[in-house]
Amino acid sequence: MAAGGPPPQQMVRKLAVEVVDARDLVPKDGLGTSSAYAVADFDGQRKRTRTVPRDLNPQWHERLEFAVPDPATMHAEALDVSLYHDRRFNPSGGGGKNNFLGRVRIYGSQFSRRGEEGIVYFPLEKRSLLSWIRGEVGLKIYYYDEPAVPPPPPPEDNKPPEGGDNAPPPEVPPEAPRELPPEVPEPTEAAVEVQQPQFQPPVVIVEEAPMHGPHGPMMMPPMHGPYGPMMPPMQHGPMMPPPVTMHARMMPPQPEPEPEPEPQREAGGPDGAEHYPPELRKTRMASSTERVRLPRHPSGGGYGPPDYYAASPRVISGRFVSTGEAVEPVQSTYDLVEPMRYLFVRIVRVRGIRPCEGPYVKIQAGPHCLRSRHGRDVSGTGSPEWNQVFAISHAKPEPTLEISVWDGGAPSPADAFLGGVCFDLSDVPVRDQPDGPLAAQWYRLEGGDPGMVTGDIMVSVWIGTQADDVFPEAWNTDAPYAAYTRAKVYQSPKLWYLRASVIEAQDLRVPTPPPGLPFDVRVKVQLGFQSARTRRSVASSSGSAFAWAEDLMFVASEPLDDTLVLLVEDRSMIKEPSLLGHATIPVSSVEQRLDERQLVASRWFNLEGGMGHGHGHGDAGDHPHGQPAGFYSGRLHLRLSLEGGYHVLDEAAHVCSDYRPTAKQLWKPPVGVLELGIVGACGLLPMKTKGGSKGSTDAYCVAKYGKKWVRTRTVTDSFSPRWNEQYTWQVYDPCTVLTVAVFDNWRMFAGAGDERQDYRIGKVRVRVSTLESNRAYTASYPLLVLLRSGLKKMGEVQLAVRFTSPAHLPDTWATYTSPLLPRMHYLRPIGVAQQEALRGAAVRTVAAWLARSEPPLGPEVVRYMLDADAHTWSVRRAKANWFRIMGVLAWAVGLERWLDGVRRWRNPSTTVLVHVLYLVLVWYPELVVPTASLYVFLIGVWYYRFRPRAPAGMDARLSQADTVEGDELEEEFEAVPAPDVLRLRYERLRTLAGRVQRVMGDVAAQGERLQALVSWRDPRASRIFVGVCLAVAVALYAMPPKMVAVATGFYYLRHPMFRDPMPAAAVNFFRRLPSLSDRML
């Protein structure tokens, strides 16, 4: 198709570095000051600022611009900003080399686009270990694109000729029909038990148009090829296969139903193309070089796994290319999964066929018979186009491939045949990554009656693997219901904390409250489904001004198109609260703040639509708020800011997969790459029944790490699905957790306007810090689900995990000694209760965002992956946490038992050695700390032999799931039980609370007895204690401390024959001291 119009304008990217100021620099001129200037270096370009003389807090406010030669690799570049002291401003005159004041390095992944920048203060780093550096520098870094100067146009006689018939056709996105099975299956008992309704807040439901034709779901009629015996196994040839000569006429098959028109995709452009964010447009590609250079070491072998694992770690080698992120590509190999061969067929277009309506293409390879959507004449030349790719499983090679074209509007099946072509698959080329796409070629259509078949078809056929870049969007024989079964990569929305500081209000028309009641004016703030209200205000003497000075926090997501609603209410009356005024603020107008040093100015907002005196919500007249629109009802003083220095927690803190702040400028460079190979599952239980008796499971896998979610394709009707898909994530903190879960697909059976939830099969978590660097782990993990009937194993999932990191010991030390959460979490912490409420809002926001994707990730999937119900009460979890505490204190109990054995002389030789060691340590106390450190080192070396050989999965014994009682499970799954059951649970809870209360009272009594030693509540006991303290002081002043330590130790370790079986005198004295228990009611 000839291209019209001018060529696209070329853009040039520029990087702007605004050096704002510096703080608390090191004095270098001998008079307590420095004359500082900054030098910025980017991609071989160096620029400097002016010198600010004699100032430890210099301010420049200068902008330096750099050219970005390759915007695609900008994230791999680094910007170095160094500060120097200019010796020319020294009192003794200039001379010698300028003094170094510090430097910072900012990577390209931290650059922001123009309009999103902000001042970030970076702490100055040392150049060497002995450098004396302090202070910080404030920078504002952003990039922008501007049009380049166009080159002169070429002469008219040098223009290239127009393309002919063999020109490549326009790209039309692949589209596959969604086919529904003939009947909707029924869930099995295990599936019904898995999918118990849980208490959860309402979520936003986005209804989307189903992918149906106007006459119902699209079906593919079977097709039988005209070929007889099987041919020898295929041999891969180096080029495109020629069509097989057809000795017999290609006859139409038996009459079949009239094909139905192809449904259109809901979200797309004018040509039906789907629009994705830049980082999601290509999920499998040959990745370019990442800024973190990751050496590829040979993968190590594995060892036997712990109790629950059925497969030992192993490495599966191959020739594959991994999934890469377009924003920050990584260098990776697709070698964690098994290769799966597919026959790829790309149908491009046809030409020269007789006029027809709705032509479509049939593809037959052995038992697989596929049908394309209806062709569209995009160019207007009478040549229908498809640009559709089919991936046919090639596990058992077939001898031939048959492609035929049919008329979708023919009156009879005999007139529908438009021609076909057959290929000998023994000559089909093999495409391995990183080979480019195979060029399509024209083939003559043959078969049928003489003179009835004319025209050519443009196709390309090759053999590849699941690593092929067209595989995710291809129509796959493993997942025939294409709309809800394709592999996809999702991205969580960018979440912000919105802080609304309610300061005061003025000019409010508040009626006088009844006598004896104070003013009770409050501000209610709403953002979407979130709502928060201030406490009672402090009123002025006139009753028109009120103060709160309270912060309210909300979760906002990009795009920031929501509106903040402010409502001022009067709750002084006993009846319903009356509205005094309201205001609306677009969230997009709120200022973004990166850290606590950036001051946000407060603003006054006018209130409108108040109720007036004595009116409630129902007596507002003709206007909904009691006053005409725009009526001034007072003003409200607020300070609003979008906090970019926090990390918005949407996961539980102990299983979080990302701790980066919201603002990209504050991100640190990645420390490595995490690769996950989802090999397959085995032994899955049937989750649905088809045909009344046949069990079936349509399983897919979801993995989540950081902001990136991945979903494998759905393998239909298989209890042992094989996915063999590999994905890659950037790792910014190794102390994070990767979550993988398996679900049974029910949404592909949902009809128009119907909403079906996917059933969970099981979940596995892998902590990245437990993985050794540059080593692959392959193991099978049990899929455990806790049901009302108890713990059930739903099957096993086989995963391959590898964490590749080039970090050395100094880098690892710096990572593990840095704060886990961003800076703002420690300087302005958020309360526990408020943090949990914000997490619930974040989970709901992410669920609503991913539910609008295609295929959608349902809210039940998101909540299960994010552990949204982890904070709910459960007797089982309480018991598990108690036993965890006992496990932590087990070492102290073991030490106490060992000391008791030593002091009781159960092993005399050990006791004698302890006496000798004690004498040495008392006589040489400087050896105590080195000896203890050496002992801990030896313990660590000893336990290295028993280190875990593979990442641990879910532990049923640790969770107390294998010994849980039936009534405890009912309490965990049933939020509101029957009244009699509720009373029994309440009594049991009272019993447990009584035990906790008794323990708390005992702990408080011990502390009060300590206070009673010198409080003279018991004068006799206090007199004895004070006298003993005086005697001990005189004795210790007179005796050497080493002798006292030896005597005390030998007395503690004395032989049992010198011991009294009764409690010691000091213990008896302490137990007789009074506490405050006798004063309690």
Side-chain angles (χ1 to χ4, degrees):
M1 183 173 60
Q9 191 175 19
Q10 186 178 4
M11 306 297 291
V12 176
R13 176 162 294 183
K14 294 294 184 67
L15 176 66
V17 180
E18 184 176 341
V19 185
V20 182
D21 60 352
R23 301 178 181 178
D24 195 22
L25 298 180
V26 176
K28 290 292 185 179
D29 60 355
L31 298 179
T33 61
S34 292
S35 300
Y37 67 92
V39 177
D41 190 348
F42 176 77
D43 195 28
Q45 310 168 59
R46 174 171 292 190
K47 297 184 180 181
R48 61 160 289 176
T49 65
R50 59 184 174 86
T51 301
V52 178
R54 293 178 288 279
D55 192 351
L56 294 181
N57 300 292
Q59 296 185 6
W60 292 282
H61 295 284
E62 292 190 26
R63 176 183 172 187
L64 309 177
E65 286 193 356
F66 301 90
V68 181
D70 188 2
T73 60
M74 184 182 67
H75 66 274
E77 302 293 340
L79 170 68
D80 292 321
V81 179
S82 303
L83 301 186
Y84 295 93
H85 164 67
D86 197 340
R87 296 177 62 90
R88 295 179 301 172
F89 291 85
N90 285 353
S92 59
K97 188 177 180 180
N98 292 337
N99 300 104
F100 178 73
L101 297 177
R103 68 177 181 183
V104 295
R105 170 166 289 184
I106 304 99
Y107 293 97
S109 59
Q110 300 173 260
F111 300 163
S112 59
R113 190 178 295 274
R114 182 166 58 183
E116 301 176 0
E117 73 279 3
I119 301 177
V120 181
Y121 286 89
F122 299 92
L124 295 174
E125 301 175 356
K126 300 180 179 180
R127 185 165 53 184
S128 62
L129 184 62
L130 302 179
S131 300
W132 179 36
I133 299 299
R134 74 181 186 194
E136 56 188 9
V137 59
L139 303 175
K140 185 184 293 185
I141 307 172
Y142 56 92
Y143 63 90
Y144 60 94
D145 297 328
E146 62 180 9
V149 178
E156 293 295 330
D157 53 355
N158 292 337
K159 287 187 178 181
E162 296 293 334
D165 292 337
N166 209 20
E171 288 293 331
V172 178
E175 178 112 15
R178 176 193 177 203
E179 298 188 355
L180 295 180
E183 60 178 351
V184 179
E186 295 295 332
T188 60
E189 295 182 2
V192 172
E193 195 171 8
V194 166
Q195 199 69 4
Q196 290 293 339
Q198 298 182 1
F199 176 76
Q200 53 183 327
V203 299
V204 179
I205 299 177
V206 180
E207 296 185 358
E208 300 189 8
M211 301 187 64
H212 284 68
H215 303 291
M218 296 192 65
M219 302 296 294
M220 293 189 304
M223 177 178 177
H224 304 281
Y227 297 96
M230 297 289 292
M231 299 181 65
M234 71 171 188
Q235 297 178 355
H236 299 162
M239 57 184 295
M240 192 72 180
V244 178
T245 303
M246 306 180 67
H247 299 283
R249 289 189 303 174
M250 196 173 203
M251 299 304 295
Q254 296 297 326
E256 55 182 343
E258 180 181 355
E260 297 167 0
E262 173 68 13
Q264 299 293 331
R265 187 174 301 276
E266 297 171 352
D271 55 351
E274 295 181 359
H275 298 287
Y276 299 98
E279 63 272 19
L280 301 181
R281 288 175 183 163
K282 193 173 183 182
T283 59
R284 287 179 175 84
M285 58 186 173
S287 302
S288 60
T289 304
E290 168 64 18
R291 168 170 45 80
V292 182
R293 311 297 181 189
L294 303 176
R296 292 292 169 188
H297 302 288
S299 301
Y303 299 89
D307 301 335
Y308 284 108
Y309 311 140
S312 57
R314 59 188 176 89
V315 181
I316 308 171
S317 60
R319 301 177 300 166
F320 298 95
V321 175
S322 88
T323 302
E325 295 183 39
V327 176
E328 297 182 3
V330 296
Q331 184 179 3
S332 175
T333 56
Y334 210 93
D335 60 349
L336 292 180
V337 295
E338 302 171 356
M340 300 179 67
R341 289 290 178 179
Y342 286 91
L343 175 64
F344 290 92
V345 180
R346 180 191 295 273
I347 308 297
V348 183
R349 64 174 178 172
V350 296
R351 67 179 180 185
I353 62 175
R354 67 172 185 262
C356 59
E357 180 181 355
Y360 61 93
V361 178
K362 287 184 180 181
I363 301 173
Q364 182 172 355
H368 304 290
C369 183
L370 313 177
R371 170 178 162 173
S372 73
R373 53 182 169 82
H374 293 288
R376 292 178 293 180
D377 188 5
V378 179
S379 60
T381 59
S383 299
E385 300 180 4
W386 289 273
N387 271 335
Q388 189 172 2
V389 181
F390 297 86
I392 304 172
S393 178
H394 206 58
K396 296 180 180 180
E398 301 295 337
T400 58
L401 170 68
E402 180 180 325
I403 302 176
S404 56
V405 184
W406 300 81
D407 183 2
S412 64
D415 299 333
F417 181 70
L418 299 178
V421 61
C422 294
F423 295 94
D424 184 358
L425 295 185
S426 61
D427 296 329
V428 171
V430 177
R431 179 190 176 192
D432 288 325
Q433 296 291 332
D435 295 348
L438 192 66
Q441 297 182 7
W442 288 106
Y443 295 92
R444 174 68 60 183
L445 294 175
E446 301 178 359
D449 297 331
M452 296 297 295
V453 175
T454 60
D456 304 311
I457 183 172
M458 178 180 282
V459 298
S460 60
V461 182
W462 71 94
I463 294 176
T465 64
Q466 72 271 29
D468 202 294
D469 53 359
V470 300
F471 181 76
E473 296 297 330
W475 197 96
N476 197 332
T477 54
D478 294 341
Y481 314 116
Y484 291 98
T485 57
R486 287 175 176 167
K488 290 292 181 179
V489 177
Y490 305 87
Q491 198 77 3
S492 293
K494 188 176 183 180
L495 302 179
W496 295 78
Y497 279 147
L498 174 61
R499 185 189 300 272
S501 300
V502 184
I503 303 175
E504 61 177 335
Q506 294 181 359
D507 302 338
L508 297 181
R509 296 175 174 84
V510 184
T512 305
L517 294 179
F519 284 99
D520 188 3
V521 178
R522 307 191 184 193
V523 177
K524 182 179 180 180
V525 184
Q526 296 178 350
L527 179 63
F529 60 86
Q530 306 171 66
S531 176
R533 184 182 288 109
T534 63
R535 296 187 295 268
R536 178 180 297 178
S537 61
V538 177
S540 63
S541 57
S542 61
S544 61
F546 301 86
W548 291 275
E550 185 175 349
D551 289 352
L552 304 178
M553 300 283 288
F554 303 91
V555 175
S557 65
E558 291 188 355
L560 303 173
D561 52 1
D562 292 334
T563 301
L564 196 67
V565 180
L566 308 175
L567 305 174
V568 182
E569 300 175 340
D570 179 19
R571 293 179 169 266
S572 304
M573 302 297 179
I574 303 179
K575 299 181 179 180
E576 294 183 359
S578 60
L579 182 65
L580 301 179
H582 75 280
T584 57
I585 305 171
V587 178
S588 57
S589 65
V590 178
E591 182 179 354
Q592 299 178 4
R593 186 171 72 158
L594 303 184
D595 57 17
E596 82 289 349
R597 290 165 291 194
Q598 182 179 348
L599 299 179
V600 178
S602 58
R603 296 171 56 190
W604 287 94
F605 297 93
N606 292 334
L607 300 176
E608 301 177 357
M611 285 296 177
H613 298 278
H615 293 282
H617 284 284
D619 301 326
D622 296 334
H623 300 281
H625 296 289
Q627 298 291 348
F631 182 82
Y632 178 75
S633 301
R635 60 177 185 167
L636 188 62
H637 195 193
L638 299 176
R639 179 179 289 110
L640 302 176
S641 61
L642 288 169
E643 302 288 349
Y646 288 95
H647 169 70
V648 180
L649 288 170
D650 56 353
E651 302 169 290
H654 60 282
V655 292
C656 193
S657 61
D658 189 14
Y659 294 105
R660 290 177 294 170
T662 300
K664 185 179 179 181
Q665 299 91 325
L666 303 178
W667 291 1
K668 296 180 180 179
V671 298
V673 172
L674 177 65
E675 299 169 86
L676 171 66
I678 305 175
V679 181
C682 62
L684 298 182
L685 297 182
M687 303 298 293
K688 57 176 70 76
T689 58
K690 295 181 179 180
S693 59
K694 179 188 175 183
S696 176
T697 297
D698 306 313
Y700 69 92
C701 195
V702 177
K704 196 263 182 186
Y705 185 81
K707 298 296 183 183
K708 180 179 175 181
W709 300 64
V710 298
R711 167 180 177 156
T712 66
R713 68 187 186 280
T714 300
V715 179
T716 58
D717 198 10
S718 176
F719 299 131
S720 298
R722 309 299 293 177
W723 294 293
N724 285 308
E725 299 182 18
Q726 185 168 336
Y727 300 94
T728 306
W729 288 269
Q730 295 279 357
V731 176
Y732 293 86
D733 193 327
C735 302
T736 46
V737 177
L738 167 69
T739 304
V740 183
V742 182
F743 297 89
D744 181 57
N745 197 333
W746 278 83
R747 277 187 165 78
M748 64 183 185
F749 300 104
D754 189 12
E755 179 68 19
R756 286 178 174 265
Q757 294 187 356
D758 295 339
Y759 290 4
R760 61 183 186 272
I761 298 178
K763 180 167 55 179
V764 176
R765 298 193 193 99
V766 177
R767 184 167 290 274
V768 179
S769 59
T770 61
L771 305 175
E772 295 186 12
S773 299
N774 310 314
R775 177 181 175 183
Y777 298 85
T778 302
S780 293
Y781 299 91
L783 297 173
L784 306 175
V785 177
L786 192 62
L787 308 174
R788 288 179 178 269
S789 58
L791 182 67
K792 179 173 290 187
K793 181 178 179 181
M794 309 296 291
E796 293 185 354
V797 60
Q798 187 178 7
L799 304 176
V801 187
R802 179 170 57 207
F803 174 54
T804 306
S805 175
H808 300 289
L809 183 60
D811 301 324
T812 305
W813 170 269
T815 300
Y816 273 77
T817 54
S818 61
L820 187 64
L821 293 172
R823 174 187 177 95
M824 288 290 289
H825 284 272
Y826 302 98
L827 299 181
R828 299 195 65 177
I830 303 175
V832 176
Q834 189 177 23
Q835 183 67 74
E836 197 62 36
L838 292 175
R839 177 175 172 258
V843 170
R844 186 171 173 182
T845 302
V846 173
W849 173 272
L850 296 179
R852 296 194 294 266
S853 305
E854 180 66 29
L857 275 183
E860 72 283 356
V861 175
V862 176
R863 292 180 61 84
Y864 185 60
M865 294 289 292
L866 298 180
D867 283 325
D869 302 323
H871 63 283
T872 57
W873 163 253
S874 170
V875 177
R876 176 188 58 84
R877 289 196 186 100
K879 291 169 61 177
N881 291 333
W882 170 256
F883 284 110
R884 287 172 59 195
I885 295 175
M886 293 297 101
V888 170
L889 299 179
W891 69 271
V893 176
L895 179 62
E896 192 276 333
R897 290 178 179 175
W898 180 79
L899 287 177
D900 185 70
V902 169
R903 64 194 294 263
R904 293 182 182 277
W905 290 72
R906 291 172 181 164
N907 190 345
S909 59
T910 302
T911 305
V912 171
L913 290 177
V914 171
H915 278 78
V916 174
L917 178 62
Y918 182 75
L919 281 175
V920 172
L921 295 180
V922 168
W923 221 256
Y924 301 99
E926 63 274 8
L927 299 179
V928 173
V929 176
T931 303
S933 301
L934 179 61
Y935 181 70
V936 174
F937 167 77
L938 294 176
I939 291 177
V941 172
W942 173 261
Y943 278 102
Y944 180 76
R945 301 169 52 205
F946 311 103
R947 67 188 183 279
R949 306 297 184 179
M954 311 301 282
D955 194 336
R957 184 172 303 173
L958 179 66
S959 306
Q960 296 294 312
D962 53 347
T963 59
V964 65
E965 300 293 339
D967 55 344
E968 297 176 357
L969 286 175
E970 291 182 2
E971 181 178 4
E972 186 169 348
F973 285 96
E974 189 176 4
V976 182
D980 53 344
V981 179
L982 182 63
R983 182 173 183 84
L984 292 177
R985 294 180 185 177
Y986 178 68
E987 293 296 336
R988 182 176 60 188
L989 187 61
R990 282 174 56 90
T991 303
L992 293 176
R995 296 177 185 174
V996 175
Q997 173 183 303
R998 185 165 58 252
V999 172
M1000 293 172 58
D1002 293 341
V1003 173
Q1006 306 306 320
E1008 292 165 355
R1009 289 192 177 101
L1010 284 175
Q1011 295 177 349
L1013 290 172
V1014 293
S1015 64
W1016 294 87
R1017 292 188 60 240
D1018 188 344
R1020 301 174 185 81
S1022 298
R1023 191 179 300 115
I1024 294 174
F1025 177 73
V1026 171
V1028 170
C1029 289
L1030 177 62
V1032 170
V1034 173
L1036 292 180
Y1037 276 124
M1039 298 174 60
K1042 294 182 179 180
M1043 296 300 298
V1044 175
V1046 169
T1048 304
F1050 277 46
Y1051 177 77
Y1052 178 78
L1053 298 174
R1054 66 190 184 278
H1055 197 273
M1057 64 182 299
F1058 300 108
R1059 296 180 183 275
D1060 188 358
M1062 301 303 292
V1067 175
N1068 295 330
F1069 178 78
F1070 183 78
R1071 289 176 177 174
R1072 290 178 176 273
L1073 292 175
S1075 65
L1076 300 181
S1077 304
D1078 51 349
R1079 296 187 182 182
M1080 292 189 62
L1081 296 176

